[in-house]
Structure formats: structure tokens, C-alpha cells
Coordinates of all heavy atoms in Angstrom, one line a residue:
M168 N -211.0 108.4 -11.8 CA -210.7 108.7 -10.4 C -209.5 109.5 -10.2 O -208.5 109.3 -10.9 CB -210.7 107.4 -9.9 CG -210.7 107.3 -8.3 SD -212.4 107.9 -7.8 CE -212.1 108.1 -6.1
P169 N -209.5 110.4 -9.3 CA -208.4 111.2 -9.0 C -207.1 110.3 -8.7 O -207.2 109.3 -8.2 CB -208.7 112.0 -7.8 CG -210.2 112.1 -7.8 CD -210.6 110.8 -8.3
G170 N -205.9 110.8 -9.1 CA -204.8 110.0 -8.9 C -204.5 109.0 -10.1 O -203.4 108.5 -10.1
A171 N -205.4 108.8 -11.0 CA -205.1 107.8 -12.0 C -204.3 108.3 -13.2 O -203.4 107.7 -13.5 CB -206.3 107.3 -12.5
A172 N -204.4 109.6 -13.4 CA -203.8 110.3 -14.5 C -202.6 111.1 -13.9 O -202.6 111.6 -12.9 CB -204.6 111.2 -15.4
H173 N -201.4 111.2 -14.8 CA -200.3 112.1 -14.4 C -200.4 113.4 -15.2 O -200.8 113.4 -16.3 CB -199.0 111.2 -14.7 CG -198.9 110.0 -13.7 ND1 -198.6 110.1 -12.5 CD2 -199.1 108.7 -14.0 CE1 -198.6 108.8 -11.9 NE2 -198.9 108.1 -12.9
D174 N -199.7 114.4 -14.4 CA -199.7 115.7 -15.1 C -198.5 115.8 -16.1 O -197.6 115.1 -16.0 CB -199.5 116.8 -14.1 CG -200.8 117.3 -13.6 OD1 -201.8 117.2 -14.3 OD2 -200.8 117.8 -12.5
D175 N -198.7 116.7 -17.2 CA -197.6 117.0 -18.1 C -196.7 118.0 -17.5 O -195.6 118.2 -17.9 CB -198.2 117.5 -19.4 CG -199.1 116.4 -20.1 OD1 -198.8 115.2 -20.0 OD2 -199.9 116.8 -20.8
H176 N -197.2 118.7 -16.5 CA -196.4 119.8 -15.9 C -195.4 119.2 -15.1 O -195.5 118.1 -14.4 CB -197.3 120.6 -15.0 CG -196.6 121.9 -14.4 ND1 -196.2 122.9 -15.2 CD2 -196.2 122.2 -13.2 CE1 -195.6 123.8 -14.5 NE2 -195.7 123.3 -13.3
D177 N -194.1 119.6 -15.1 CA -192.9 119.0 -14.3 C -192.5 119.6 -13.1 O -191.4 119.3 -12.7 CB -191.9 118.9 -15.4 CG -191.3 120.2 -15.8 OD1 -191.8 121.2 -15.4 OD2 -190.2 120.1 -16.6
D178 N -193.3 120.4 -12.3 CA -192.8 120.9 -11.1 C -192.9 119.9 -9.9 O -192.5 120.1 -8.8 CB -193.3 122.3 -10.8 CG -194.6 122.2 -10.3 OD1 -195.2 121.1 -10.3 OD2 -195.3 123.3 -9.9
G179 N -193.4 118.7 -10.2 CA -193.4 117.7 -9.2 C -194.7 117.5 -8.3 O -194.9 116.7 -7.5
D180 N -195.5 118.6 -8.4 CA -196.7 118.8 -7.6 C -197.9 117.8 -7.9 O -198.7 117.8 -7.1 CB -197.1 120.1 -7.2 CG -197.9 120.7 -8.4 OD1 -198.0 120.2 -9.5 OD2 -198.4 121.9 -8.2
D181 N -197.8 117.3 -9.1 CA -199.0 116.5 -9.6 C -198.7 115.1 -10.0 O -199.5 114.5 -10.5 CB -199.7 117.3 -10.6 CG -200.6 118.3 -10.1 OD1 -201.0 118.3 -9.0 OD2 -200.9 119.3 -10.8
D182 N -197.4 114.7 -9.9 CA -197.2 113.4 -10.4 C -197.4 112.2 -9.4 O -196.9 111.2 -9.8 CB -195.8 113.3 -11.0 CG -195.0 114.4 -11.1 OD1 -194.7 115.1 -10.3 OD2 -194.6 114.6 -12.4
L183 N -197.7 112.3 -8.2 CA -197.9 111.4 -7.2 C -199.3 110.8 -7.4 O -200.3 111.5 -7.7 CB -197.8 112.0 -5.9 CG -196.5 112.6 -5.6 CD1 -196.5 113.4 -4.3 CD2 -195.3 111.6 -5.6
E184 N -199.3 109.4 -7.3 CA -200.6 108.7 -7.5 C -201.2 108.6 -6.1 O -200.5 108.3 -5.1 CB -200.3 107.2 -8.0 CG -201.7 106.6 -8.3 CD -201.3 105.5 -9.3 OE1 -200.7 105.6 -10.2 OE2 -201.9 104.3 -9.0
V185 N -202.4 108.8 -6.1 CA -203.2 108.7 -4.8 C -204.1 107.5 -4.9 O -204.9 107.4 -5.9 CB -204.0 110.0 -4.7 CG1 -204.9 109.9 -3.4 CG2 -203.2 111.3 -4.8
T186 N -204.2 106.7 -3.9 CA -205.0 105.5 -3.8 C -206.1 105.6 -2.9 O -205.8 105.8 -1.6 CB -204.1 104.2 -3.6 OG1 -203.5 104.4 -2.4 CG2 -203.2 103.9 -4.8
D187 N -207.3 105.6 -3.2 CA -208.6 105.6 -2.4 C -208.5 106.4 -1.1 O -208.7 105.9 -0.1 CB -208.8 104.1 -2.0 CG -209.0 103.2 -3.2 OD1 -209.6 103.7 -4.2 OD2 -208.6 102.0 -3.2
P188 N -208.5 107.8 -1.4 CA -208.5 108.7 -0.1 C -210.0 108.5 0.4 O -211.0 108.4 -0.5 CB -208.2 110.0 -0.6 CG -208.3 110.0 -2.1 CD -208.2 108.5 -2.5
R189 N -210.2 108.6 1.7 CA -211.5 108.6 2.2 C -212.4 109.9 2.0 O -213.5 109.9 1.9 CB -211.4 108.5 3.8 CG -210.7 107.0 4.1 CD -210.5 106.9 5.5 NE -209.4 107.8 5.9 CZ -208.9 108.0 7.1 NH1 -209.5 107.4 8.0 NH2 -208.1 109.0 7.4
W190 N -211.6 111.1 1.9 CA -212.2 112.3 1.8 C -211.2 113.3 1.1 O -210.0 112.9 0.9 CB -212.7 112.9 3.0 CG -211.6 113.1 4.1 CD1 -211.3 112.2 5.1 CD2 -210.7 114.2 4.4 NE1 -210.2 112.7 5.8 CE2 -210.1 113.9 5.4 CE3 -210.6 115.4 3.8 CZ2 -209.1 114.8 6.0 CZ3 -209.7 116.3 4.2 CH2 -208.9 116.0 5.3
W191 N -211.7 114.4 0.6 CA -211.0 115.4 -0.1 C -211.2 116.8 0.3 O -212.4 117.1 0.7 CB -211.4 115.3 -1.6 CG -211.0 114.1 -2.3 CD1 -212.0 112.9 -2.4 CD2 -210.0 113.7 -3.1 NE1 -211.2 111.9 -3.1 CE2 -210.1 112.4 -3.6 CE3 -208.9 114.5 -3.5 CZ2 -209.1 111.8 -4.3 CZ3 -207.9 113.8 -4.3 CH2 -208.0 112.6 -4.6
E192 N -210.3 117.6 0.4 CA -210.3 119.0 0.5 C -210.3 119.7 -0.8 O -209.5 119.2 -1.7 CB -209.1 119.6 1.4 CG -209.2 121.0 1.7 CD -207.9 121.5 2.4 OE1 -207.3 120.6 3.2 OE2 -207.6 122.6 2.2
L193 N -211.2 120.6 -1.1 CA -211.3 121.2 -2.3 C -211.2 122.6 -2.2 O -211.6 123.3 -1.3 CB -212.7 121.0 -3.1 CG -213.1 119.4 -3.0 CD1 -214.6 119.4 -3.6 CD2 -212.2 118.7 -4.0
R194 N -210.4 123.3 -3.2 CA -210.2 124.7 -3.1 C -210.3 125.2 -4.6 O -209.5 124.8 -5.5 CB -208.9 125.0 -2.5 CG -208.7 126.5 -2.3 CD -207.4 127.0 -1.8 NE -207.1 126.2 -0.6 CZ -205.8 126.0 -0.1 NH1 -204.7 126.5 -0.8 NH2 -205.6 125.4 0.9
R195 N -211.1 126.3 -4.8 CA -211.1 126.8 -6.2 C -209.7 127.7 -6.4 O -209.3 128.3 -5.4 CB -212.3 127.8 -6.2 CG -212.6 128.3 -7.5 CD -213.9 128.8 -7.8 NE -214.1 129.3 -9.2 CZ -215.2 129.1 -9.8 NH1 -216.2 128.8 -9.1 NH2 -215.2 129.5 -11.2
A196 N -209.1 127.7 -7.5 CA -207.9 128.2 -7.7 C -207.8 128.8 -9.2 O -208.8 128.5 -10.1 CB -206.8 127.3 -7.6
Q197 N -206.8 129.5 -9.4 CA -206.5 129.9 -10.8 C -205.0 129.9 -11.0 O -204.3 130.3 -10.2 CB -207.1 131.3 -11.0 CG -206.8 131.8 -12.4 CD -207.3 133.3 -12.7 OE1 -207.6 134.1 -11.7 NE2 -207.5 133.6 -14.0
N198 N -204.6 129.5 -12.2 CA -203.1 129.5 -12.5 C -202.7 130.9 -12.6 O -203.2 131.6 -13.3 CB -202.8 128.7 -13.8 CG -203.1 127.3 -13.5 OD1 -203.1 126.7 -12.5 ND2 -203.0 126.6 -14.9
L199 N -201.7 131.2 -11.9 CA -201.2 132.6 -11.9 C -199.9 132.7 -12.8 O -199.2 133.7 -12.9 CB -200.9 133.2 -10.6 CG -202.3 133.3 -9.7 CD1 -202.0 134.0 -8.4 CD2 -203.2 134.3 -10.5
K200 N -199.4 131.5 -13.3 CA -198.3 131.3 -14.1 C -198.7 130.5 -15.1 O -199.6 129.7 -15.3 CB -197.2 130.6 -13.2 CG -197.6 129.1 -12.8 CD -196.4 128.6 -12.0 CE -196.8 127.2 -11.5 NZ -195.8 126.6 -10.9
P201 N -198.0 130.6 -16.3 CA -198.4 129.8 -17.6 C -197.8 128.3 -17.5 O -197.0 128.1 -18.1 CB -197.5 130.7 -18.7 CG -196.4 131.3 -17.9 CD -196.9 131.6 -16.4
A202 N -198.6 127.6 -16.7 CA -198.4 126.2 -16.5 C -199.6 125.5 -17.1 O -200.8 125.9 -16.8 CB -198.1 125.9 -15.1
T203 N -199.3 124.4 -17.6 CA -200.4 123.5 -18.0 C -200.5 122.1 -17.2 O -199.4 121.7 -17.1 CB -200.3 123.1 -19.5 OG1 -200.2 124.5 -20.3 CG2 -201.4 122.3 -20.0
Y204 N -201.6 121.9 -16.8 CA -201.8 120.6 -15.9 C -202.7 119.6 -16.7 O -203.5 120.0 -17.6 CB -202.5 120.9 -14.6 CG -201.5 121.9 -13.8 CD1 -201.7 123.2 -13.8 CD2 -200.5 121.4 -13.2 CE1 -201.0 124.1 -13.1 CE2 -199.6 122.3 -12.4 CZ -199.9 123.7 -12.3 OH -199.1 124.5 -11.7
T205 N -202.8 118.4 -16.2 CA -203.7 117.4 -16.9 C -204.7 117.0 -15.8 O -204.3 116.8 -14.6 CB -202.9 116.1 -17.3 OG1 -202.0 116.5 -18.3 CG2 -204.0 115.1 -17.8
C206 N -206.0 117.2 -16.1 CA -207.1 116.9 -15.1 C -207.1 115.4 -14.7 O -207.1 114.6 -15.7 CB -208.5 117.3 -15.6 SG -209.8 116.9 -14.6
P207 N -206.9 115.0 -13.4 CA -207.0 113.6 -13.1 C -208.3 112.9 -13.2 O -208.4 111.7 -13.2 CB -206.6 113.7 -11.7 CG -207.0 115.0 -11.1 CD -206.8 115.8 -12.3
L208 N -209.3 113.8 -13.5 CA -210.6 113.2 -13.5 C -211.0 112.9 -15.1 O -211.8 111.8 -15.3 CB -211.7 114.0 -13.0 CG -211.5 114.4 -11.5 CD1 -212.4 115.5 -11.0 CD2 -211.6 113.1 -10.7
C209 N -210.6 113.6 -16.0 CA -211.0 113.3 -17.3 C -209.6 113.0 -18.3 O -209.8 112.6 -19.4 CB -211.7 114.6 -17.9 SG -210.8 116.0 -18.1
G210 N -208.6 113.4 -17.8 CA -207.3 113.2 -18.6 C -207.1 114.2 -19.7 O -206.0 114.2 -20.3
R211 N -207.9 115.4 -19.5 CA -207.7 116.4 -20.7 C -206.9 117.5 -19.9 O -206.8 117.6 -18.7 CB -209.0 117.0 -21.2 CG -209.8 116.0 -21.9 CD -211.0 116.7 -22.6 NE -211.7 117.7 -21.7 CZ -212.7 117.6 -21.2 NH1 -213.4 116.5 -21.0 NH2 -213.2 118.7 -20.2
R212 N -206.3 118.4 -20.7 CA -205.4 119.4 -20.1 C -206.2 120.6 -19.6 O -207.3 120.9 -20.2 CB -204.5 119.9 -21.3 CG -203.5 119.1 -21.7 CD -202.4 119.7 -22.8 NE -201.6 118.5 -23.1 CZ -200.3 118.9 -23.1 NH1 -199.8 119.9 -22.8 NH2 -199.4 117.9 -23.6
L213 N -205.8 121.1 -18.6 CA -206.3 122.4 -18.1 C -205.3 123.5 -18.7 O -204.2 123.5 -18.7 CB -206.1 122.7 -16.6 CG -207.1 122.0 -15.6 CD1 -206.9 120.5 -15.5 CD2 -207.2 122.6 -14.3
Q214 N -206.1 124.4 -19.5 CA -205.4 125.6 -20.0 C -204.7 126.4 -19.0 O -205.3 126.6 -17.9 CB -206.4 126.3 -21.0 CG -206.9 125.5 -22.0 CD -205.9 124.9 -23.0 OE1 -204.9 125.6 -23.4 NE2 -205.9 123.6 -23.3
S215 N -203.6 127.0 -19.3 CA -202.9 127.8 -18.4 C -203.7 129.1 -18.1 O -204.4 129.5 -19.0 CB -201.5 128.1 -18.9 OG -201.6 128.9 -20.1
M216 N -203.6 129.7 -16.9 CA -204.2 130.9 -16.4 C -205.8 130.7 -16.4 O -206.3 131.7 -16.5 CB -203.8 132.0 -17.4 CG -202.3 132.1 -17.6 SD -201.3 132.7 -16.2 CE -201.6 134.5 -16.3
T217 N -206.3 129.6 -16.1 CA -207.8 129.4 -16.1 C -208.1 129.0 -14.7 O -207.4 128.4 -14.0 CB -208.3 128.4 -17.2 OG1 -207.6 127.1 -16.8 CG2 -208.0 128.7 -18.5
D218 N -209.5 129.2 -14.4 CA -210.0 128.9 -13.1 C -210.2 127.3 -13.1 O -210.4 126.8 -14.0 CB -211.5 129.4 -12.9 CG -211.4 130.8 -12.7 OD1 -210.3 131.5 -12.1 OD2 -212.5 131.6 -12.9
H219 N -209.8 126.8 -11.9 CA -209.9 125.3 -11.8 C -210.1 125.1 -10.3 O -210.2 125.9 -9.4 CB -208.6 124.7 -12.5 CG -207.4 124.9 -11.8 ND1 -206.8 126.1 -12.0 CD2 -206.6 124.3 -11.0 CE1 -205.6 126.2 -11.3 NE2 -205.4 125.0 -10.6
V220 N -210.0 123.7 -10.1 CA -210.0 123.3 -8.5 C -208.8 122.5 -8.2 O -208.2 121.8 -8.9 CB -211.3 122.5 -8.3 CG1 -211.5 122.0 -7.0 CG2 -212.6 123.2 -8.7
L221 N -208.3 122.8 -6.9 CA -207.3 122.0 -6.4 C -207.9 121.0 -5.5 O -208.8 121.2 -4.7 CB -206.3 122.9 -5.5 CG -205.4 123.9 -6.3 CD1 -204.7 124.7 -5.2 CD2 -204.5 123.1 -7.2
L222 N -207.5 119.9 -5.6 CA -207.9 118.6 -4.8 C -206.8 118.2 -3.9 O -205.7 118.0 -4.4 CB -208.3 117.4 -5.8 CG -209.2 117.7 -6.9 CD1 -209.3 116.4 -7.8 CD2 -210.5 118.0 -6.3
F223 N -207.3 118.0 -2.7 CA -206.1 117.6 -1.6 C -206.6 116.2 -1.0 O -207.6 116.4 -0.2 CB -205.8 118.6 -0.6 CG -205.5 119.9 -1.1 CD1 -206.4 121.0 -1.1 CD2 -204.1 120.2 -1.5 CE1 -206.1 122.3 -1.7 CE2 -203.9 121.4 -2.0 CZ -204.7 122.6 -2.1
P224 N -206.0 115.1 -1.4 CA -206.6 113.9 -0.7 C -206.3 113.8 0.7 O -205.2 114.1 1.1 CB -205.8 112.7 -1.4 CG -204.6 113.4 -2.0 CD -204.9 114.8 -2.2
E225 N -207.4 113.8 1.5 CA -207.3 113.8 3.0 C -206.7 115.0 3.5 O -206.1 114.9 4.5 CB -206.8 112.4 3.5 CG -207.8 111.4 3.1 CD -207.5 109.9 3.8 OE1 -206.7 109.9 4.9 OE2 -208.0 108.8 3.4
G226 N -206.8 116.1 2.9 CA -206.2 117.3 3.3 C -204.6 117.4 3.1 O -204.0 118.3 3.5
D227 N -204.1 116.5 2.4 CA -202.6 116.4 2.1 C -202.2 117.3 1.1 O -202.2 117.0 -0.1 CB -202.0 115.0 1.9 CG -200.6 114.8 1.9 OD1 -199.9 115.9 1.7 OD2 -200.2 113.7 1.9
H228 N -201.7 118.5 1.4 CA -201.4 119.6 0.4 C -200.1 119.1 -0.5 O -200.0 119.5 -1.6 CB -201.1 120.8 1.0 CG -202.4 121.4 1.4 ND1 -202.7 122.8 1.4 CD2 -203.5 120.9 2.1 CE1 -203.8 123.0 1.9 NE2 -204.5 121.9 2.3
S229 N -199.3 118.2 0.0 CA -198.2 117.7 -0.8 C -198.7 117.0 -2.0 O -197.9 116.7 -2.9 CB -197.1 117.0 0.1 OG -197.7 115.7 0.4
L230 N -199.9 116.4 -2.0 CA -200.4 115.4 -3.0 C -201.5 116.2 -3.9 O -202.3 115.6 -4.4 CB -200.9 114.2 -2.4 CG -200.1 113.3 -1.6 CD1 -200.8 112.1 -1.0 CD2 -199.0 112.8 -2.6
R231 N -201.4 117.5 -3.8 CA -202.4 118.2 -4.6 C -202.5 117.9 -6.0 O -201.6 117.5 -6.6 CB -202.2 119.8 -4.3 CG -201.0 120.3 -5.2 CD -200.9 121.8 -4.9 NE -199.8 122.3 -5.5 CZ -198.6 122.4 -5.0 NH1 -198.4 121.8 -3.9 NH2 -197.6 122.9 -5.7
R232 N -203.7 117.9 -6.5 CA -204.0 117.7 -8.0 C -204.8 118.9 -8.6 O -205.6 119.6 -7.8 CB -204.8 116.5 -8.1 CG -204.3 115.2 -7.5 CD -203.0 114.9 -8.1 NE -203.1 114.8 -9.6 CZ -202.7 113.9 -10.3 NH1 -202.2 112.9 -9.8 NH2 -203.0 113.9 -11.7
H233 N -204.7 119.2 -9.8 CA -205.4 120.3 -10.5 C -206.6 119.6 -11.4 O -206.2 118.9 -12.1 CB -204.5 121.1 -11.4 CG -203.3 121.7 -10.6 ND1 -203.5 123.2 -10.2 CD2 -202.2 121.3 -9.9 CE1 -202.2 123.4 -9.6 NE2 -201.5 122.3 -9.4
A234 N -207.8 120.2 -11.2 CA -208.9 119.5 -11.9 C -209.8 120.6 -12.5 O -210.0 121.7 -11.9 CB -209.6 118.6 -11.1
H235 N -210.5 120.2 -13.7 CA -211.5 121.1 -14.2 C -212.7 121.4 -13.3 O -213.0 120.4 -12.5 CB -212.0 120.6 -15.5 CG -211.1 120.5 -16.6 ND1 -210.7 119.2 -17.0 CD2 -210.6 121.4 -17.4 CE1 -209.9 119.5 -18.1 NE2 -209.8 120.7 -18.3
I236 N -213.1 122.5 -13.2 CA -214.3 122.8 -12.3 C -215.6 121.9 -12.6 O -216.2 121.3 -11.7 CB -214.7 124.3 -12.3 CG1 -213.7 125.2 -11.8 CG2 -216.1 124.5 -11.7 CD1 -213.8 126.6 -12.1
E237 N -215.7 121.7 -14.0 CA -216.8 120.9 -14.4 C -216.7 119.4 -14.0 O -217.6 118.8 -13.6 CB -217.1 121.1 -15.8 CG -217.4 122.3 -16.4 CD -216.1 123.4 -16.5 OE1 -215.0 122.8 -16.4 OE2 -216.3 124.5 -16.7
C238 N -215.4 118.9 -14.1 CA -215.2 117.6 -13.7 C -215.4 117.3 -12.4 O -215.9 116.4 -11.9 CB -213.7 117.3 -14.1 SG -213.5 117.1 -16.0
V239 N -215.0 118.3 -11.4 CA -215.1 118.1 -9.9 C -216.6 118.1 -9.7 O -217.1 117.4 -8.8 CB -214.3 119.2 -9.2 CG1 -214.7 119.3 -7.8 CG2 -212.9 119.2 -9.4
G240 N -217.4 118.9 -10.3 CA -218.8 119.1 -10.1 C -219.5 117.7 -10.3 O -220.3 117.3 -9.6
R241 N -219.2 117.2 -11.5 CA -219.7 115.8 -11.9 C -219.3 114.8 -10.9 O -220.1 113.9 -10.5 CB -219.3 115.4 -13.2 CG -220.1 116.3 -14.3 CD -219.9 115.7 -15.8 NE -218.4 115.8 -16.3 CZ -218.0 116.6 -16.8 NH1 -218.7 117.8 -17.0 NH2 -216.6 116.7 -17.1
A242 N -218.1 114.7 -10.5 CA -217.6 113.7 -9.5 C -218.2 113.9 -8.2 O -218.6 112.9 -7.5 CB -216.0 113.7 -9.4
R243 N -218.5 115.2 -7.7 CA -219.1 115.4 -6.5 C -220.5 115.0 -6.6 O -221.0 114.3 -5.6 CB -219.1 116.9 -6.1 CG -217.7 117.2 -5.7 CD -217.4 117.9 -4.5 NE -218.3 118.4 -3.6 CZ -218.6 117.8 -2.5 NH1 -218.0 116.8 -2.0 NH2 -219.5 118.4 -1.7
E244 N -221.3 115.2 -7.6 CA -222.6 114.8 -7.7 C -222.8 113.3 -7.8 O -223.7 112.6 -7.3 CB -223.2 115.3 -9.1 CG -223.5 116.8 -9.1 CD -224.0 117.3 -10.4 OE1 -224.4 116.5 -11.3 OE2 -224.1 118.5 -10.6
A245 N -221.7 112.5 -8.2 CA -221.6 111.1 -8.4 C -221.2 110.6 -7.0 O -221.2 109.3 -6.8 CB -220.7 110.6 -9.4
G246 N -220.7 111.4 -6.1 CA -220.4 111.0 -4.8 C -218.9 110.5 -4.7 O -218.5 109.8 -3.7
R247 N -218.1 110.9 -5.6 CA -216.8 110.3 -5.7 C -215.7 111.2 -5.1 O -214.6 110.8 -4.9 CB -216.2 110.1 -7.2 CG -217.0 108.9 -7.8 CD -216.6 108.5 -9.2 NE -215.7 109.3 -9.8 CZ -215.7 110.1 -11.0 NH1 -216.8 109.9 -11.6 NH2 -214.8 110.7 -11.4
L248 N -216.1 112.5 -4.6 CA -215.3 113.2 -4.0 C -215.9 113.9 -2.7 O -216.0 115.2 -2.6 CB -214.8 114.5 -4.9 CG -214.0 114.3 -6.3 CD1 -213.9 115.5 -7.0 CD2 -212.5 113.6 -5.7
P249 N -216.1 113.0 -1.7 CA -216.7 113.6 -0.5 C -215.7 114.4 0.3 O -214.5 114.3 0.4 CB -217.0 112.3 0.3 CG -216.0 111.3 -0.1 CD -215.7 111.6 -1.6
S250 N -216.4 115.5 1.0 CA -215.4 116.3 1.8 C -215.3 115.6 3.1 O -215.9 114.5 3.4 CB -216.3 117.6 2.1 OG -217.5 117.4 2.8
R251 N -214.5 116.2 4.0 CA -214.2 115.6 5.2 C -215.5 115.5 6.0 O -215.9 114.5 6.7 CB -213.2 116.3 6.0 CG -212.9 115.7 7.4 CD -211.5 116.4 7.9 NE -211.0 115.7 9.1 CZ -211.3 115.9 10.4 NH1 -212.2 116.9 10.6 NH2 -210.7 115.2 11.3
S252 N -216.2 116.5 6.1 CA -217.5 116.5 6.9 C -218.5 115.5 6.4 O -219.2 114.8 7.2 CB -218.1 117.9 7.1 OG -218.4 118.4 5.7
E253 N -218.6 115.4 5.0 CA -219.5 114.4 4.4 C -219.0 113.0 4.7 O -219.9 112.1 5.2 CB -219.5 114.5 2.9 CG -220.2 115.7 2.5 CD -219.9 116.1 1.0 OE1 -219.0 115.6 0.5 OE2 -220.7 117.1 0.5
W254 N -217.7 112.8 4.8 CA -217.1 111.5 5.1 C -217.4 111.1 6.6 O -217.9 110.0 7.0 CB -215.7 111.4 4.8 CG -215.1 110.1 5.3 CD1 -215.0 108.9 4.8 CD2 -214.2 110.1 6.6 NE1 -214.4 108.1 5.7 CE2 -213.9 108.7 6.7 CE3 -213.8 111.0 7.4 CZ2 -213.0 108.3 7.7 CZ3 -213.1 110.6 8.5 CH2 -212.6 109.3 8.6
K255 N -217.2 112.1 7.5 CA -217.4 112.0 8.9 C -218.8 111.5 9.2 O -219.0 110.7 10.1 CB -217.0 113.1 9.7 CG -215.5 113.3 9.9 CD -215.1 114.5 10.6 CE -215.3 114.1 12.1 NZ -214.6 115.1 13.0
R256 N -219.8 112.1 8.5 CA -221.3 111.7 8.8 C -221.5 110.2 8.4 O -222.5 109.8 9.0 CB -222.2 112.5 7.9 CG -222.3 113.9 8.4 CD -223.4 114.8 7.9 NE -223.3 114.9 6.4 CZ -222.7 116.0 5.8 NH1 -222.3 117.0 6.5 NH2 -222.7 116.0 4.4
T257 N -220.6 109.6 7.7 CA -220.9 108.1 7.3 C -220.2 107.3 8.4 O -220.4 106.0 8.2 CB -220.3 107.9 5.8 OG1 -219.0 108.0 5.9 CG2 -220.9 108.7 4.8
Q258 N -219.4 107.8 9.2 CA -218.6 107.0 10.2 C -219.4 106.7 11.5 O -220.2 107.5 11.8 CB -217.3 107.6 10.4 CG -216.5 107.9 9.2 CD -216.2 106.7 8.4 OE1 -215.6 105.7 9.0 NE2 -216.7 106.6 7.2
P259 N -219.1 105.5 12.1 CA -219.9 105.2 13.3 C -219.4 106.2 14.4 O -218.3 106.7 14.3 CB -219.4 103.9 13.7 CG -218.6 103.3 12.6 CD -218.2 104.5 11.6
R260 N -220.4 106.6 15.2 CA -220.0 107.6 16.3 C -219.2 106.8 17.4 O -219.7 105.7 17.7 CB -221.2 108.1 16.7 CG -221.9 109.2 15.9 CD -223.1 109.9 16.5 NE -223.4 111.0 15.7 CZ -223.7 112.3 16.2 NH1 -223.5 112.5 17.3 NH2 -223.9 113.1 15.2
R261 N -218.4 107.6 18.0 CA -217.6 107.0 19.1 C -218.5 107.1 20.2 O -219.3 108.0 20.5 CB -216.3 107.8 19.4 CG -215.4 107.6 18.3 CD -214.3 108.6 18.5 NE -213.1 107.9 18.9 CZ -211.9 108.5 19.2 NH1 -211.8 109.8 19.1 NH2 -210.8 107.7 19.4
P262 N -218.5 106.0 21.1 CA -219.3 106.1 22.3 C -218.9 107.2 23.3 O -217.8 107.5 23.4 CB -219.1 104.7 23.0 CG -217.9 104.2 22.3 CD -217.6 104.8 21.0
W263 N -220.0 107.8 23.9 CA -219.7 108.9 24.8 C -220.0 108.4 26.1 O -221.1 108.0 26.4 CB -220.5 110.2 24.4 CG -220.2 111.3 25.3 CD1 -219.1 112.1 25.2 CD2 -220.9 111.7 26.4 NE1 -219.2 113.0 26.1 CE2 -220.2 112.9 27.0 CE3 -222.2 111.2 27.1 CZ2 -220.6 113.5 28.0 CZ3 -222.5 112.0 28.2 CH2 -221.8 113.1 28.7
F264 N -219.0 108.4 27.0 CA -219.2 107.8 28.3 C -219.4 109.0 29.5 O -218.6 109.8 29.4 CB -218.1 106.9 28.7 CG -217.9 105.7 27.8 CD1 -217.1 105.8 26.8 CD2 -218.8 104.6 28.0 CE1 -216.9 104.6 25.9 CE2 -218.6 103.6 27.2 CZ -217.7 103.6 26.1
R265 N -220.2 108.9 30.3 CA -220.5 109.8 31.3 C -219.7 109.4 32.5 O -219.5 108.1 32.9 CB -221.9 109.9 31.9 CG -222.8 110.4 30.8 CD -224.2 110.5 31.4 NE -225.1 111.2 30.5 CZ -226.2 111.4 30.8 NH1 -226.7 111.4 32.0 NH2 -227.0 112.1 29.8
R266 N -219.1 110.4 33.2 CA -218.2 110.1 34.3 C -219.2 110.0 35.5 O -220.0 110.9 35.6 CB -217.2 111.2 34.5 CG -216.2 111.4 33.4 CD -215.4 112.5 33.7 NE -214.1 112.0 34.3 CZ -213.1 113.0 34.7 NH1 -213.2 114.1 34.3 NH2 -212.0 112.5 35.2
S267 N -218.9 108.9 36.3 CA -219.8 108.9 37.4 C -219.1 109.5 38.6 O -217.8 109.5 38.7 CB -220.1 107.4 37.7 OG -218.9 106.7 38.0
G268 N -219.9 110.1 39.6 CA -219.2 110.5 40.7 C -219.4 111.9 41.0 O -219.4 112.6 41.7

């Protein structure tokens, strides 16, 4: 599960633990610097300068995580990384009241 593993990279952007976000923002990315990260989904390293996915729990960019494209695909298929729109569809609708008059 995202947030369970910590990165080996030391710039501070991936060492925060995330607990049970309701939804995730996902963005495809590529390292443009020679940095190595640890995928929070499998615990293996992401090689520097490779395509991967950035995960933002509930859209919080300060808690971003770097993950393998394949790991994200498997987690999405298993329903473990819902997008905001997917999560919203599972929520009760707010009542809509008509104004009288």
C-alpha cells in the first residue's frame, strides 16, 4: 500500500507516511535528474531517469510518491488507487433542494 515504504532518496519529498487516503491524483513522470526512488507499492527501486508515476494522496503534492508504472497499473486494477472522480461516485449524493417562491 502507498505510504508503507520509505524512499532511499534524501530530498525529503518521499519520506512521509500516508495513511488511508480516500483518493489519489496520478501523473506520469520521468526523472530528469539522476535520482533513485523506492516504489511504495513493491519496495523495489525505480532506476534513475526512467518513466514512472507520481502519486499524490488526495491531491496533496507535498506528499508525492514515485512508483513503477506497472505497480500502479496493478494497484488500480485491484481498486487500491481510486481517482478523485472514482471516489466521488461512491459517495452519497447531497440532497438538492428547490427554492420555493
